[in-house]
Amino acid sequence: MPLREAKKAAVRQALVAAANRRFHRHGFEQTTIDEICADAGVSRRTFFRYFENKEALAFPHRTERFERFLALLDGAGHSPNPVDGLRAICQTFAHEYSANREAILAQQRLVDSVPALAAREHEIDCDWETAMAATFRRRFGRGAAAERRARLMAGAAIGVIRATMRYWYEKDGKPDLARLGQEALDGLEHGFLS
Amino acid sequence: MPLREAKKAAVRQALVAAANRRFHRHGFEQTTIDEICADAGVSRRTFFRYFENKEALAFPHRTERFERFLALLDGAGHSPNPVDGLRAICQTFAHEYSANREAILAQQRLVDSVPALAAREHEIDCDWETAMAATFRRRFGRGAAAERRARLMAGAAIGVIRATMRYWYEKDGKPDLARLGQEALDGLEHGFLS
DNA sequence: TCTAAAATGCCACTGAGTGCCAGTTTTGGC
DNA sequence: GCCAAAACTGGCACTCAGTGGCATTTTAGA
């Protein structure tokens, strides 16, 4: 890795680490960007060249996870039933989340306690929903009806995923996330009343 | 109406009106709270006694609509199939939205152009989802499985409703919103693939 | 009419986020 | 190794959202 790139990665990492320490110790709003900068040995002005805003610090894996999701979506394109693809992706992420349970729960407690962070999380959900809709559309073919069906399904999918995650968080990550995910997708596939 | 109450309503109305003018003319971020206050003839400090923040100005009907939704949810509690209740509620709101098409579209264009407003809209969706989940839970009975089913269904419901609204907005409010809503609920009831 | 409560205005303050520019560090060609 | 261009950084001054405190005005009700 070229020197310049390595330094940038180090600064980024230092900022995230400093932020996490302070966020978890004193809370998000109580932590000031100036303090984080001081800890990381960087100027305020520089901070805003690494992160759009304070909230972005709480989702350091945002783009990385999303790109992985895109790749999985792309790769899962063989079955005619798009839910099959989702089931596989669901397994993958369920394992990752279960493996990093403590870290994920801590992050989520933070997010849930700060409306501004919940808002950012929703932005992420929107990205995922849009990506799913695009994939489904490719399966469903042309036409306004197919387009609408793809979007409805993506909306419902992100809805049940969110609900499932919330449930899992609430139960302190004890339930089997992979199983919860499969049940959620059952509802998506066959409806919640039939 | 007592004088004090009437004055408060007038101030509130003046603030919303001034804000709407400026928001639509110059945009949300370009409009300063000071300007809105000046237009409405009120001090900055007073503004914050009427609205939590600048964003709240963009959703003046938030609590009123939500309370109406709660009442409808409560009233639609006879059929064993909770989707039937949703269908009725959907009709009601579809008619209201179609009747105020222009105003609603203008408001939505504003919301869509400002991330901070999209975030507030999501807060509203969360309120609605929670309310639906509570209603469904009453239908589905006790037990962790019923609880989970209620939440999944509420998540999916808000997901398809959001997707439907986005579609309708995108088509400039031309499609028959009531029909779109029924189709969305069909998917919710019977699944998107069976 | 008089008083307690409610509503308002004003001031000073913190903290997020931005524009600008000058100084430093890294890179790539020689 | 040297040098110029490009990238990165720091510091400063600024705008604006949002808050706390307190003095002043307005309303409600006896």
Side-chain angles (χ1 to χ4, degrees):
Chain A
M1 176 149 57
L3 177 57
R4 182 164 276 168
E5 210 174 313
K7 277 197 175 182
K8 287 189 77 169
V11 168
R12 195 189 145 82
Q13 178 48 38
L15 284 170
V16 170
N20 269 335
R21 265 196 308 279
R22 293 222 177 232
F23 287 169
H24 287 112
R25 225 191 307 264
H26 311 292
F28 181 82
E29 277 122 343
Q30 280 61 45
T31 300
T32 219
I33 294 183
D34 283 325
E35 294 168 341
I36 297 170
C37 292
D39 290 358
V42 144
S43 86
R44 211 177 126 62
R45 197 65 192 77
T46 292
F47 170 87
F48 284 104
R49 291 188 182 104
Y50 280 81
F51 295 93
E52 264 195 40
N53 44 51
K54 197 175 159 186
E55 287 102 66
L57 283 168
F59 303 98
H61 304 111
R62 172 172 178 171
T63 59
E64 180 252 320
R65 280 223 180 94
F66 182 53
E67 278 162 13
R68 204 138 39 88
F69 179 61
L70 286 181
L72 288 170
L73 264 184
D74 229 38
H78 304 300
S79 163
N81 178 348
V83 175
D84 290 342
L86 289 189
R87 290 191 191 276
I89 295 173
C90 180
Q91 295 295 329
T92 305
F93 278 95
H95 285 131
E96 174 185 344
Y97 277 54
S98 302
N100 305 338
R101 186 169 149 267
E102 281 310 326
I104 302 252
L105 286 177
Q107 142 136 6
Q108 196 60 30
R109 273 190 285 271
L110 182 66
V111 171
D112 288 338
S113 70
V114 182
L117 293 180
R120 296 291 160 180
E121 190 176 48
H122 177 239
E123 278 185 16
I124 298 174
D125 288 348
C126 287
D127 290 344
W128 287 47
E129 180 177 341
T130 306
M132 280 193 283
T135 300
F136 298 161
R137 191 154 41 231
R138 261 176 255 129
R139 294 277 191 307
F140 291 162
R142 305 246 162 239
E147 161 91 21
R148 232 162 54 235
R149 184 148 157 258
R151 291 216 217 163
L152 285 175
M153 193 166 149
I158 206 73
V160 297
I161 291 170
R162 241 321 112 225
T164 300
M165 294 309 297
R166 272 199 301 266
Y167 184 83
W168 189 69
Y169 294 138
E170 209 169 279
K171 304 292 182 198
D172 277 326
K174 307 265 201 240
D176 178 354
L177 184 54
R179 211 174 59 76
L180 291 183
Q182 297 307 321
E183 289 180 15
L185 294 176
D186 289 344
L188 184 67
E189 190 166 358
H190 301 117
F192 292 91
L193 291 171
S194 49
Chain B
M1 176 153 52
L3 177 54
R4 181 165 277 171
E5 208 174 315
K7 277 197 175 183
K8 287 188 78 168
V11 168
R12 195 190 144 81
Q13 178 50 37
L15 284 169
V16 170
N20 269 335
R21 266 196 306 279
R22 293 221 177 235
F23 288 169
H24 288 112
R25 225 189 307 264
H26 311 293
F28 181 82
E29 276 121 345
Q30 280 61 43
T31 301
T32 224
I33 294 184
D34 283 325
E35 294 167 342
I36 297 170
C37 291
D39 289 359
V42 143
S43 87
R44 215 175 118 64
R45 196 65 190 80
T46 293
F47 170 87
F48 285 103
R49 292 190 181 104
Y50 280 83
F51 296 92
E52 263 194 39
N53 44 49
K54 197 175 159 187
E55 288 101 67
L57 282 167
F59 303 99
H61 303 110
R62 173 173 177 171
T63 58
E64 179 253 319
R65 281 222 179 95
F66 182 54
E67 277 161 15
R68 203 137 41 88
F69 179 61
L70 286 180
L72 287 169
L73 263 184
D74 228 39
H78 304 301
S79 163
N81 178 346
V83 175
D84 290 344
L86 289 188
R87 289 190 191 277
I89 295 173
C90 179
Q91 294 295 328
T92 305
F93 278 95
H95 285 130
E96 174 185 345
Y97 276 55
S98 303
N100 305 338
R101 187 169 148 267
E102 281 311 325
I104 303 253
L105 286 177
Q107 141 136 7
Q108 195 61 31
R109 273 189 286 270
L110 182 66
V111 170
D112 288 338
S113 70
V114 182
L117 293 180
R120 295 292 160 178
E121 190 177 48
H122 177 239
E123 279 185 15
I124 298 174
D125 287 348
C126 287
D127 290 343
W128 286 48
E129 181 178 341
T130 305
M132 279 193 283
T135 300
F136 297 161
R137 191 154 40 232
R138 261 175 257 131
R139 294 275 193 308
F140 291 161
R142 304 248 163 238
E147 161 90 22
R148 232 161 56 237
R149 183 149 159 259
R151 290 215 218 166
L152 285 176
M153 192 165 151
I158 207 72
V160 296
I161 290 170
R162 239 323 111 225
T164 302
M165 293 310 296
R166 273 200 299 269
Y167 184 83
W168 189 70
Y169 294 139
E170 208 170 281
K171 304 293 183 197
D172 277 326
K174 307 265 203 240
D176 178 352
L177 184 55
R179 210 174 60 77
L180 291 182
Q182 298 306 319
E183 288 179 15
L185 294 176
D186 290 342
L188 184 67
E189 188 166 358
H190 301 117
F192 291 92
L193 291 170
S194 48

